[in-house]
PDB file of all heavy atoms in Angstrom:
ATOM      1  N   CYS A 128       1.978   5.250  30.113  1.00 98.00           N
ATOM      2  CA  CYS A 128       1.218   6.301  30.805  1.00 98.00           C
ATOM      3  C   CYS A 128       0.800   5.635  32.104  1.00 98.00           C
ATOM      4  O   CYS A 128       0.253   4.446  32.252  1.00 98.00           O
ATOM      5  CB  CYS A 128      -0.051   6.609  30.045  1.00 98.00           C
ATOM      6  SG  CYS A 128       0.282   7.669  28.625  1.00 98.00           S
ATOM      7  N   THR A 129       0.990   6.423  33.202  1.00 98.00           N
ATOM      8  CA  THR A 129       0.773   5.891  34.557  1.00 98.00           C
ATOM      9  C   THR A 129       0.189   6.935  35.449  1.00 98.00           C
ATOM     10  O   THR A 129       0.222   8.170  35.135  1.00 98.00           O
ATOM     11  CB  THR A 129       2.037   5.399  35.188  1.00 98.00           C
ATOM     12  OG1 THR A 129       1.848   4.849  36.375  1.00 98.00           O
ATOM     13  CG2 THR A 129       3.117   6.437  35.248  1.00 98.00           C
ATOM     14  N   GLN A 130      -0.360   6.550  36.537  1.00 98.00           N
ATOM     15  CA  GLN A 130      -0.892   7.549  37.609  1.00 98.00           C
ATOM     16  C   GLN A 130       0.329   8.178  38.285  1.00 98.00           C
ATOM     17  O   GLN A 130       1.433   7.663  38.281  1.00 98.00           O
ATOM     18  CB  GLN A 130      -1.752   6.795  38.590  1.00 98.00           C
ATOM     19  CG  GLN A 130      -0.955   5.744  39.450  1.00 98.00           C
ATOM     20  CD  GLN A 130      -1.790   5.075  40.493  1.00 98.00           C
ATOM     21  OE1 GLN A 130      -3.030   5.026  40.326  1.00 98.00           O
ATOM     22  NE2 GLN A 130      -1.169   4.482  41.444  1.00 98.00           N
ATOM     23  N   ALA A 131       0.062   9.255  38.980  1.00 98.00           N
ATOM     24  CA  ALA A 131       1.093   9.899  39.867  1.00 98.00           C
ATOM     25  C   ALA A 131       1.393   8.975  40.973  1.00 98.00           C
ATOM     26  O   ALA A 131       0.472   8.412  41.506  1.00 98.00           O
ATOM     27  CB  ALA A 131       0.597  11.184  40.263  1.00 98.00           C
ATOM     28  N   PRO A 132       2.697   8.781  41.290  1.00 98.00           N
ATOM     29  CA  PRO A 132       2.949   7.883  42.420  1.00 98.00           C
ATOM     30  C   PRO A 132       2.362   8.269  43.797  1.00 98.00           C
ATOM     31  O   PRO A 132       2.275   9.482  44.112  1.00 98.00           O
ATOM     32  CB  PRO A 132       4.506   7.861  42.532  1.00 98.00           C
ATOM     33  CG  PRO A 132       4.978   8.376  41.129  1.00 98.00           C
ATOM     34  CD  PRO A 132       3.844   9.331  40.609  1.00 98.00           C
ATOM     35  N   LEU A 133       1.863   7.266  44.522  1.00 98.00           N
ATOM     36  CA  LEU A 133       1.397   7.495  45.874  1.00 98.00           C
ATOM     37  C   LEU A 133       2.640   7.237  46.775  1.00 98.00           C
ATOM     38  O   LEU A 133       3.615   6.639  46.381  1.00 98.00           O
ATOM     39  CB  LEU A 133       0.290   6.508  46.178  1.00 98.00           C
ATOM     40  CG  LEU A 133      -0.984   6.623  45.443  1.00 98.00           C
ATOM     41  CD1 LEU A 133      -1.783   5.303  45.464  1.00 98.00           C
ATOM     42  CD2 LEU A 133      -1.782   7.795  45.986  1.00 98.00           C
ATOM     43  N   PRO A 134       2.545   7.680  48.083  1.00 97.00           N
ATOM     44  CA  PRO A 134       3.645   7.338  49.011  1.00 97.00           C
ATOM     45  C   PRO A 134       3.938   5.904  49.052  1.00 97.00           C
ATOM     46  O   PRO A 134       5.118   5.470  49.214  1.00 97.00           O
ATOM     47  CB  PRO A 134       3.086   7.903  50.354  1.00 97.00           C
ATOM     48  CG  PRO A 134       2.218   9.027  49.912  1.00 97.00           C
ATOM     49  CD  PRO A 134       1.518   8.559  48.711  1.00 97.00           C
ATOM     50  N   SER A 135       2.901   5.068  48.963  1.00 97.00           N
ATOM     51  CA  SER A 135       3.076   3.601  49.073  1.00 97.00           C
ATOM     52  C   SER A 135       3.572   2.925  47.817  1.00 97.00           C
ATOM     53  O   SER A 135       3.908   1.725  47.770  1.00 97.00           O
ATOM     54  CB  SER A 135       1.794   3.027  49.516  1.00 97.00           C
ATOM     55  OG  SER A 135       0.694   3.227  48.517  1.00 97.00           O
ATOM     56  N   THR A 136       3.544   3.714  46.675  1.00 98.00           N
ATOM     57  CA  THR A 136       3.928   3.129  45.385  1.00 98.00           C
ATOM     58  C   THR A 136       5.169   3.796  44.736  1.00 98.00           C
ATOM     59  O   THR A 136       5.463   3.432  43.637  1.00 98.00           O
ATOM     60  CB  THR A 136       2.772   3.205  44.356  1.00 98.00           C
ATOM     61  OG1 THR A 136       2.521   4.610  44.018  1.00 98.00           O
ATOM     62  CG2 THR A 136       1.616   2.537  44.902  1.00 98.00           C
TER      63      THR A 136
END
Side-chain angles (χ1 to χ4, degrees):
C128 286
T129 182
Q130 67 179 18
L133 294 159
S135 60
T136 64

